Amino acid sequence: MHSGTMTSSFNDNLVFQRCVIPQCGGTNSLDDTSFCCPKCGGIMDVAYDWDRLPVPKSLKDFEAKWMLRHQPLPFSGVWRFYELLPFAPPSSVLTIGEGQTLLRQSDHVAQYVGVNNGNLFLQYEGMNPSGSFKDNGMTAAFTHAHMTGAKRAACASTGNTSASLAVYCSATGLMRGIVFIGSGKISYGKLAQALDHGALTIQIAGDFDDAMQRVQQIAKKMGIYLVNSINPFRLEGQKTVMYRVLEALRWESPDWIVVPGGNLGNSSSFGKAFIELKQLGLISKVPRLAVINAAGANTFNLLTNMNSVSWNKGEPNKPVMNQFFTEMDTQNRRASTIASAIEINRPVNLVKGLRAIEFCNGVVRETNDQEIMDAKAKVGAGGMGCEPASAASVAGAKKLRAEGVIAPSDRVVCILTAHQMKDSTATVAYHSSDQKTFDEVLGVRGVRRAGFANRAVQVPNSLEDIVKAIEVYA
Ligand SMILES: *Cc1c(COP(=O)(O)O)cnc(C)c1O
Ligand SMILES: [Zn+2]
């Protein structure tokens, strides 16, 4: 297909990588794959010289792309916003039609959260080819990987990144995918995808945070392209989730975006999306961002709310953060939640997450597994399925409404990060009338009740009994 070298117009400092810390000023060229600041060792942003790039005058201009859906780039829900992530020549873009997702209003969930009917929206990213929002970022990282001539790509994953990488490798045939997963931590739905799509799957004895450290070492040592969200190109693709939300709301910013926080890739990319849209004069109002941790993986909540760590103009309190992680290590505290996709204690995008919270006047909260599973059942009963981690957004919105931070009249968008079928074990256990099944999956997580369970009805195999059951229950 395309050669591994970039065309000259894209080597012209129009696009480069820049340290997230403005005072540092460290930069890397577009084709760097260390994703590490050469001056301070921190994480990088993809940076654009917007003055020399063609930027639309209005977000409405993107609507013209709808007529071009027979072409691969305008068809993609990521690349139809090409002008807002123009790091690759259009001919180098690798897309499999990701980002065909849905924003749906749900009064059922509005009532549960406590906002007015008509004001609660679910952004369903489970409709992506691999069933999670990760595809938005993977198409961008994959494009960059191919531009730099990579032949192998790796990630550590709680499941959805590996599923996404495996799908892109198998669908394009351009790269060998290598996925690192913690042992016993991955749901079958996600493991099935990595295996079925032919990724080399390495299960290490440890959890996600261990796997993340190992994959970074391996990537460096063996020159393998890393697609974890430490990769700033992934975050470029994930910005488009926000563009699609705005598009679905006729380009009018909602009051709140609520998102689950794991590695804080989504939170960071949403923040960057709004920073750039504002800078480019494409929006006037910036929505507030709410990032929701699971209580069993609450680093971001603890640091921001208990330890007063903030972006602080690019100088977040490093000693406090370092001490926090040192204590975590000495006490051997491990992340633990039914919401496996956010079972992460060392978010790699921490500093970018702080920036997003600062720019979007955001808040951080945590929700426990009981609240997450109850919210998930409500989302399902409202007509949209999701996995446990996704429902943290709805549980978090409910909490913020109860606190009075979110008002009943606010328009709230909760991001449903992945599909219901990703983790059917948790769902079936919640609805099961069998206490043993419930306890094995949920009881061990401190979930005590299934307040919104829809239990299967046991009926003898006789016509009369079946008729009776239907008359009683339906
Ligand atoms: C990856 C993932 C998350 C966490 O997103 P981050 O960008 O790492 O914060 C949340 N939900 C689901 C379903 C995921 O797959
Ligand atoms: Zn730096």
Side-chain angles (χ1 to χ4, degrees):
M1 276 185 77
H2 313 288
S3 74
T5 52
M6 278 155 280
T7 61
S8 59
S9 67
F10 280 81
N11 244 342
D12 205 15
N13 288 336
L14 280 174
V15 191
F16 55 101
Q17 299 181 50
R18 182 171 58 206
C19 181
V20 66
I21 302 297
Q23 294 85 336
C24 169
T27 60
N28 278 329
S29 65
L30 173 60
D31 59 356
D32 174 85
T33 58
S34 73
F35 310 131
C36 181
C37 176
K39 282 174 76 180
C40 75
I43 51 177
M44 306 296 280
D45 278 321
V46 179
Y48 304 92
D49 186 350
W50 293 113
D51 292 340
R52 293 162 61 216
L53 284 160
V55 179
K57 293 212 167 39
S58 145
L59 286 172
K60 238 178 147 3
D61 292 357
F62 284 109
E63 293 175 12
K65 304 261 183 114
W66 296 343
M67 285 186 298
L68 304 172
R69 283 174 65 83
H70 56 284
Q71 298 173 14
L73 268 69
F75 179 75
S76 164
V78 171
W79 297 104
R80 78 166 172 269
F81 299 102
Y82 175 84
E83 287 78 5
L84 297 175
L85 57 152
F87 66 82
S91 61
S92 295
V93 167
L94 297 175
T95 169
I96 61 169
E98 58 288 315
Q100 311 294 323
T101 63
L102 183 67
L103 184 89
R104 193 196 285 164
Q105 189 207 308
S106 173
D107 285 347
H108 189 80
V109 177
Q111 284 153 25
Y112 182 63
V113 166
V115 296
N116 297 343
N117 280 353
N119 278 8
L120 194 290
F121 301 85
L122 301 171
Q123 172 68 15
Y124 188 35
E125 289 297 315
M127 287 172 74
N128 274 292
S130 82
S132 85
F133 78 82
K134 298 292 198 298
D135 296 347
N136 294 293
M138 199 56 68
T139 181
F142 219 72
T143 294
H144 183 251
H146 191 52
M147 282 166 73
T148 61
K151 294 281 177 284
R152 294 189 292 194
C155 67
S157 181
T158 62
N160 283 332
T161 304
S162 55
S164 183
L165 174 61
V167 164
Y168 276 83
C169 287
S170 56
T172 63
L174 289 171
M175 237 167 288
R176 179 85 167 118
I178 305 166
V179 310
F180 284 63
I181 55 180
S183 54
K185 291 284 189 180
I186 189 171
S187 77
Y188 263 27
K190 302 174 191 180
L191 181 58
Q193 289 179 288
L195 299 175
D196 220 21
H197 294 297
L200 171 62
T201 305
I202 299 179
Q203 202 152 17
I204 70 160
D207 64 8
F208 173 83
D209 293 311
D210 298 320
M212 187 68 225
Q213 287 185 343
R214 286 296 178 210
V215 78
Q216 286 180 261
Q217 289 173 328
I218 291 288
K220 198 168 173 190
K221 190 177 163 70
M222 300 181 70
I224 298 173
Y225 188 91
L226 190 64
V227 298
N228 276 102
S229 60
I230 201 167
N231 178 324
F233 294 91
R234 244 190 68 189
L235 302 193
E236 289 307 290
Q238 289 171 211
K239 292 190 304 193
T240 64
V241 177
M242 289 301 101
Y243 307 153
R244 296 198 297 273
V245 165
L246 293 176
E247 179 179 55
L249 296 174
R250 308 306 314 260
W251 310 113
E252 201 180 299
S253 294
D255 297 299
W256 288 94
I257 301 288
V258 191
V259 63
N263 254 331
L264 303 176
N266 255 347
S267 318
S268 301
S269 64
F270 297 175
K272 188 168 188 276
F274 290 121
I275 289 170
E276 291 172 347
L277 289 177
K278 186 83 178 149
Q279 184 196 337
L280 295 171
L282 292 170
I283 53 169
S284 46
K285 171 180 158 180
V286 175
R288 296 187 71 184
L289 183 68
V291 179
I292 312 300
N293 274 164
N298 58 353
T299 295
F300 200 43
N301 185 44
L302 290 179
L303 283 177
T304 52
N305 288 322
M306 304 299 161
N307 292 278
S308 305
V309 172
S310 71
W311 170 243
N312 191 28
K313 301 193 175 80
E315 292 177 1
N317 196 329
K318 270 239 173 83
V320 170
M321 292 193 281
N322 290 341
Q323 194 196 335
F324 179 89
F325 288 115
T326 305
E327 266 175 32
M328 180 183 282
D329 286 343
T330 48
Q331 296 168 4
N332 198 24
R333 283 205 322 265
R334 295 282 169 170
S336 174
T337 167
I338 188 73
S340 57
I342 51 175
E343 193 174 45
I344 294 169
N345 258 350
R346 291 178 174 277
V348 297
N349 291 299
L350 177 55
V351 177
K352 289 182 181 177
L354 294 171
R355 180 179 63 183
I357 289 296
E358 176 75 24
F359 184 77
C360 299
N361 188 18
V363 295
V364 183
R365 292 293 183 273
E366 64 180 61
T367 53
N368 65 33
D369 286 8
Q370 178 78 58
E371 294 161 335
I372 287 171
M373 290 308 293
D374 286 341
K376 191 179 102 57
K378 280 293 180 184
V379 169
M384 204 91 104
C386 68
E387 70 163 273
S390 312
S393 60
V394 172
K398 183 176 167 62
K399 180 159 287 187
L400 288 164
R401 174 63 206 96
E403 289 177 13
V405 176
I406 291 179
S409 57
D410 284 350
R411 294 177 98 205
V412 180
V413 176
C414 294
I415 312 299
L416 298 183
T417 44
H419 199 280
Q420 182 180 40
M421 304 308 279
K422 289 282 192 173
D423 188 356
S424 43
T425 307
T427 306
V428 173
Y430 185 87
H431 293 290
S432 175
S433 51
D434 171 15
Q435 193 64 36
K436 187 162 170 286
T437 305
F438 182 90
D439 283 343
E440 275 171 11
V441 181
L442 299 172
V444 294
R445 303 286 188 176
V447 180
R448 294 284 159 254
R449 307 170 308 280
F452 308 111
N454 175 29
R455 302 228 153 82
V457 177
Q458 312 286 331
V459 185
N461 185 13
S462 93
L463 197 56
E464 202 184 322
D465 287 309
I466 295 170
V467 169
K468 209 187 289 170
I470 293 172
E471 279 175 345
V472 170
Y473 292 108

